[in-house]
Amino acid sequence: MDTELKSMNPDPPKPEQPDPASRDDGSNSKDDRPLLKSDSNRISSTTGESIEELEKKFAAYVRNDVYGPMGRGELPLVEKVLLGIAVVTLVPIRFVLALIILVVYYIICRVCTLFSAPNRDEEEEQEDFAHMGGWRRAVIVWCGRFLSRMLLFVLGFYWISVSYRDIELPDQNKSSSQNEGKDQSEEPERLGAIISNHVSYLDILYHMSASFPSFVAKRSVAKLPLVGLISKCLGCVYVQRESKSSDFKGVSGIVTERVKESHENSSAPMMMLFPEGTTTNGDFLLPFKTGAFLATAPVRPVILRYPYQRFSPAWDSISGALHVFYLFCQFINHMEAVWLPVYYPSQEEKDDPKLYASNVRRLMAREGNLKMSDIGLAEKRIYHTALNGNISLPSVLHQKDD
């Protein structure tokens, strides 16, 4: 649940700037003109580069659907008619049904946790109900899986193509897997974490419906109405993105402990991690952070895709409000999930988590036909700033890439 709502809306340009291309933010512009046109001579006031050059440099975040950059491109007449029909039919129905599902699940979580105290870590400001056992936990998990799938159905994901790929892993991992099988012939070694590429906040709904794991989320999520309690029932690990203190080291330690616990204890909640650290347009795979691999436990890679013709469900360079609106307006949405075999690290990979992360990334890129990119969250912020015509680039460059 590692969204970057704040980074999706860079600081607005100063009011005294005369540049007409400047906008207040990604979702509240009053400029009727399209944000960007496919004109290679158009120059970004932020970087001095043409839009064509920016799209080549930041290809992992470029939107290629009919709605254009930031979802504010000039639409053809047919698309405007379809949007108009959806606004008076689909949008209100989907909004009401989605709200009902959210409220119902909140009530279920509230009832199940009514007389239970959450696990607390005051020092790290963590709190969760994921370790709660018995019938209460069973109700939370099974209702969560069912209702998250129902929410995806309401959003137009009527069918989700799920495949389990049986591939031959590299020799060192294959032998490691065989050795584990000999040592534990009755039961294979338990996973430490599920690893997935990150395309949209919709990824979270899919993984909730598939395995109901714990996620990493912004600390502010824990305080949100309805969603806050649900995130605690998931067992989310909360982080403070904007913090420049040693908090990040503490969170990394918590994640490592959770992965080890999941690996060693069958009753512990499973961790679901997005090692890229941010979302892409779905065609690329960014460098993996090592947090998911420090525990040296086996991981299960999952590749998510969102085939589309009109609107891309990827949350790459579009504001949250516009993304939800267009998603509600699209009659049918598509999702594909490819589950790869469990990846057992070799001894060399256990000794070097960076090598472990790199090898898993290469495997996912190859099996998912994804292009590997060496950019990250900092470059994403620069690209968003350039799209907005924002002149305060230095402030973006100095933001911490977590």
Side-chain angles (χ1 to χ4, degrees):
M1 212 148 64
D2 187 21
T3 56
E4 24 315 81
L5 191 56
K6 183 170 290 187
S7 64
M8 296 297 291
N9 295 282
D11 297 335
K14 298 179 181 179
E16 64 269 19
Q17 294 300 325
D19 186 359
S22 298
R23 296 165 47 240
D24 290 335
D25 59 29
S27 60
N28 296 313
S29 173
K30 295 182 179 179
D31 190 352
D32 292 330
R33 301 177 310 155
L35 175 64
L36 296 174
K37 296 180 180 178
S38 57
D39 180 0
S40 60
N41 295 322
R42 178 77 181 271
I43 304 296
S44 165
S45 61
T46 307
T47 64
E49 297 176 296
S50 69
I51 296 305
E52 188 177 72
E53 291 172 332
L54 284 173
E55 290 184 346
K56 288 181 180 179
K57 180 184 287 188
F58 305 112
Y61 309 123
V62 176
R63 294 191 68 80
N64 298 306
D65 60 10
V66 298
Y67 293 90
M70 295 294 285
R72 302 191 61 83
E74 188 172 7
L75 300 177
L77 179 60
V78 174
E79 191 63 30
K80 291 179 180 179
V81 171
L82 290 175
L83 279 177
I85 295 173
V87 165
V88 298
T89 56
L90 280 180
V91 173
I93 295 174
R94 284 179 169 174
F95 176 79
V96 171
L97 291 178
L99 185 60
I100 290 174
I101 291 174
L102 184 61
V103 171
V104 167
Y105 189 49
Y106 169 80
I107 294 174
I108 292 173
C109 291
R110 176 59 67 190
V111 171
C112 290
T113 59
L114 197 57
F115 301 105
S116 300
N119 290 326
R120 296 178 185 272
D121 188 332
E122 300 294 344
E123 184 178 349
E124 298 292 347
E125 298 184 45
Q126 303 292 330
E127 183 179 78
D128 73 85
F129 290 96
H131 293 76
M132 181 176 60
W135 66 268
R136 299 168 185 258
R137 181 62 184 170
V139 170
I140 288 175
V141 171
W142 289 107
C143 288
R145 294 184 64 175
F146 174 75
L147 291 177
S148 57
R149 181 62 187 93
M150 288 300 96
L151 184 54
L152 284 172
F153 185 89
V154 167
L155 296 177
F157 294 93
Y158 307 120
W159 304 276
I160 296 178
S161 173
V162 181
S163 60
Y164 298 87
R165 191 164 297 177
D166 185 15
I167 60 173
E168 189 171 309
L169 296 176
D171 292 339
Q172 68 272 23
N173 300 299
K174 180 179 171 184
S175 61
S176 174
S177 176
Q178 290 174 343
N179 290 335
E180 295 294 344
K182 292 178 181 179
D183 295 336
Q184 302 178 6
S185 57
E186 295 183 358
E187 183 178 352
E189 186 178 8
R190 181 173 162 82
L191 285 178
I194 299 172
I195 303 299
S196 176
N197 63 320
H198 203 7
V199 184
S200 173
Y201 53 82
L202 298 165
D203 304 346
I204 297 167
L205 288 176
Y206 168 73
H207 286 294
M208 282 181 65
S209 68
S211 54
F212 203 79
S214 300
F215 297 89
V216 175
K218 294 181 68 173
R219 187 162 293 160
S220 58
V221 171
K223 300 178 181 179
L224 292 175
L226 303 180
V227 177
L229 177 62
I230 294 174
S231 70
K232 292 177 183 178
C233 289
L234 279 163
C236 288
V237 174
Y238 301 110
V239 301
Q240 186 67 37
R241 270 191 184 278
E242 294 77 17
S243 173
K244 299 183 184 297
S245 66
S246 60
D247 173 67
F248 292 98
K249 182 178 179 181
V251 169
S252 177
I254 294 174
V255 171
T256 302
E257 289 178 2
R258 288 281 191 93
V259 173
K260 286 183 177 179
E261 184 181 9
S262 176
H263 174 50
E264 298 169 356
N265 184 359
S266 60
S267 63
M270 180 66 62
M271 281 298 300
M272 165 71 243
L273 297 167
F274 301 108
E276 294 172 282
T278 189
T279 53
T280 67
N281 58 17
D283 296 327
F284 291 80
L285 202 60
L286 306 181
F288 279 8
K289 302 181 187 303
T290 58
F293 307 93
L294 293 174
T296 68
V299 297
R300 183 75 182 269
V302 181
I303 302 166
L304 297 180
R305 301 191 188 96
Y306 294 85
Y308 67 92
Q309 292 182 340
R310 296 167 51 233
F311 171 71
S312 169
W315 194 18
D316 37 34
S317 54
I318 183 173
S319 71
L322 271 180
H323 189 280
V324 172
F325 174 72
Y326 288 143
L327 187 70
F328 276 33
C329 288
Q330 186 149 268
F331 295 87
I332 300 177
N333 290 295
H334 301 277
M335 181 190 299
E336 297 175 354
V338 179
W339 290 73
L340 302 182
V342 176
Y343 191 105
Y344 295 92
S346 65
Q347 187 58 50
E348 184 180 6
E349 290 170 327
K350 291 180 178 180
D351 296 336
D352 185 357
K354 289 186 177 180
L355 176 64
Y356 186 8
S358 177
N359 287 344
V360 173
R361 180 188 178 220
R362 290 180 181 278
L363 173 69
M364 292 177 65
R366 184 182 75 240
E367 295 301 319
N369 196 26
L370 302 172
K371 304 171 187 174
M372 292 199 294
S373 173
D374 60 356
I375 61 178
L377 181 57
E379 288 79 9
K380 186 177 190 178
R381 287 169 170 159
I382 293 172
Y383 180 57
H384 291 172
T385 304
L387 288 180
N388 282 288
N390 200 319
I391 63 172
S392 58
L393 184 59
S395 66
V396 177
L397 289 171
H398 285 88
Q399 292 185 38
K400 185 178 181 65
D401 182 358
D402 45 314

